[in-house]
Amino acid sequence: MLSNSTRFQESLNKRKEEGTLRRLRLQSDGADFYSNDYLGFAKSKELQHLLLQKIINNPQLLSGSTGSRLISGNSDIAVSVENCIAQKHKFESALLFPSGYNANLALFSTLPSRQDVVIVDEQIHRSVHDGCKLSNAKKLKFRHNDLEDLENILKRQENQCYIAIESLYSMEGDFAPIQEIAQLADQYKASLIVDEAHAFGVFGYGLIEKYQLQHQISAAVVTYGKALGGHGAAILCNETEKSYLINFASPFIYSTSAQDFQWVSIKTGYEFLDQNHDLGIQLQDNIKIFRSQNLQSPSMETSPVQAIVIPDNQKLKQLQDTLSEEGFLTYAIYSPTVKEGSERLRICLHSFNTEEEIVKLTGIIKEFV
Ligand SMILES: Cc1ncc(COP(=O)(O)O)c(C=O)c1O
């Protein structure tokens, strides 16, 4: 039998040979076409100044929370920020988490029972799969955004079903047919859970709010590490679900709460978003410029994520290296993060990218595809 360290080393060597070894790198300088900071909030001096003022006025915000929210870690601030979030999204209630990964882990490990079936889009985020692994429910996958496949699976189920989708998928840069899926969920009495990580902020408060689907959704997740430029997440749900999560969700119960400053940053992020609609417009202008360069992409017209499929690891790596030498920061996604044969360069567009940068970037890509 192989020793653990030999096994670890062999797996790492295999990744190295394939050119897919993951490494922690420090952020380099360059034009940002890889971060989730779609609206530039993470680096906004104005937002930093607002947050600094909050700390100067109330340094206690920086104190540790001292425990789980069920013991010593709850606060007036956490409760009031949750109420404010629920109100803004027009859900009955909200429950804060330190990250979207934690929120999905809590949701999917807790709501579905042993007898239930969770039907996930095949491109759903890893945090949903990991949540399902911690639950006793059965998990089935439907083909990406394929309503017919989803309906065929729903038809065959006798037990209570959950459907898990993202409103905007971050690997493909395409939207879920969320209204049609909500209709199917109604028809088959399934509970629909929507992850709005990439849509929140880019499209106002997200696509559920845009299409006013709150009453057809069992729960939603919004995250604050992407367009809001910070960190954290909230589950939007009804009072009973919130109480159930507080009682039974291990990632919520057995973890120290974040400090109040994180909750205040989220609230300030919402206020900043409300006051800066122009950034969303600038982002859409930049997406239009990118799309007008006529690169082949499976992504949708208005998506801030534009994928360029290059199903050849070597060529993909070469392109990314060339872009990096030219001062462009992009991210290449290899299998198994995406299916073999659909490896891609993932371009994230931002409100702060310039037309010149976008035209130069796409010019280099064109030489490789
Ligand atoms: C769709 C989706 N859900 C959840 C998460 C996790 O959110 P967070 O980064 O806040 O943990 C991500 C982040 O990559 C995501 O893309």
Side-chain angles (χ1 to χ4, degrees), residues 36 38 97-104 123-128 165-171 195-198 221-226 230-233 346:
N36 296 319
Y38 300 120
F97 281 84
S99 74
Y101 184 88
N102 272 274
N104 275 334
Q123 287 199 12
I124 200 84
H125 193 257
R126 173 58 79 90
S127 50
V128 172
I165 59 169
E166 293 176 33
S167 48
L168 169 60
Y169 288 90
S170 66
M171 292 297 145
D195 182 333
E196 293 245 63
H198 292 272
V221 171
V222 278
T223 70
Y224 304 122
K226 304 186 195 301
H231 200 228
R346 183 173 177 264

Side-chain angles (χ1 to χ4, degrees), residues 37-175:
D37 185 22
Y38 300 120
L39 301 174
F41 280 24
K43 294 198 180 77
S44 161
K45 293 270 181 287
E46 203 184 331
L47 183 54
Q48 283 165 11
H49 181 74
L50 287 172
L51 293 173
L52 200 55
Q53 274 309 314
K54 305 252 175 202
I55 294 171
I56 290 167
N57 295 339
N58 184 7
Q60 261 181 314
L61 289 176
L62 292 175
S63 302
S65 76
T66 78
S68 160
R69 285 185 65 195
L70 283 164
I71 305 177
S72 55
N74 197 26
S75 69
D76 287 347
I77 291 179
V79 173
S80 77
V81 171
E82 282 177 343
N83 290 339
C84 167
I85 292 170
Q87 210 180 19
K88 281 187 178 290
H89 288 271
K90 304 196 190 86
F91 271 78
E92 218 172 274
S93 53
L95 186 62
L96 283 164
F97 281 84
S99 74
Y101 184 88
N102 272 274
N104 275 334
L105 216 55
L107 201 47
F108 288 91
S109 64
T110 310
L111 294 194
S113 75
R114 185 180 290 277
Q115 296 78 29
D116 296 344
V117 181
V118 186
I119 308 171
V120 306
D121 185 289
E122 65 183 347
Q123 287 199 12
I124 200 84
H125 193 257
R126 173 58 79 90
S127 50
V128 172
H129 290 291
D130 290 358
C132 290
K133 269 191 205 159
L134 289 181
S135 89
N136 292 307
K138 179 170 150 189
K139 185 186 82 181
L140 298 171
K141 286 186 197 169
F142 69 99
R143 277 196 299 275
H144 180 54
N145 278 346
D146 187 330
L147 291 168
E148 210 179 303
D149 194 34
L150 173 59
E151 183 162 15
N152 282 336
I153 295 172
L154 281 165
K155 267 185 199 158
R156 293 199 298 267
Q157 307 311 313
E158 285 169 2
N159 294 358
Q160 170 64 39
C161 293
Y162 285 82
I163 301 169
I165 59 169
E166 293 176 33
S167 48
L168 169 60
Y169 288 90
S170 66
M171 292 297 145
E172 204 77 1
D174 59 353
F175 302 104

Side-chain angles (χ1 to χ4, degrees), residues 11-28:
S11 301
L12 291 169
N13 290 346
K14 185 162 175 274
R15 284 218 159 158
K16 211 170 185 176
E17 278 160 26
E18 292 166 354
T20 58
L21 187 70
R22 292 174 165 135
R23 282 196 195 92
L24 286 175
R25 293 192 174 86
L26 291 175
Q27 282 184 14
S28 17

Side-chain angles (χ1 to χ4, degrees), residues 85 199 210 257 271 286:
I85 292 170
K210 181 171 172 192
S257 169
E271 288 158 6
N286 282 343

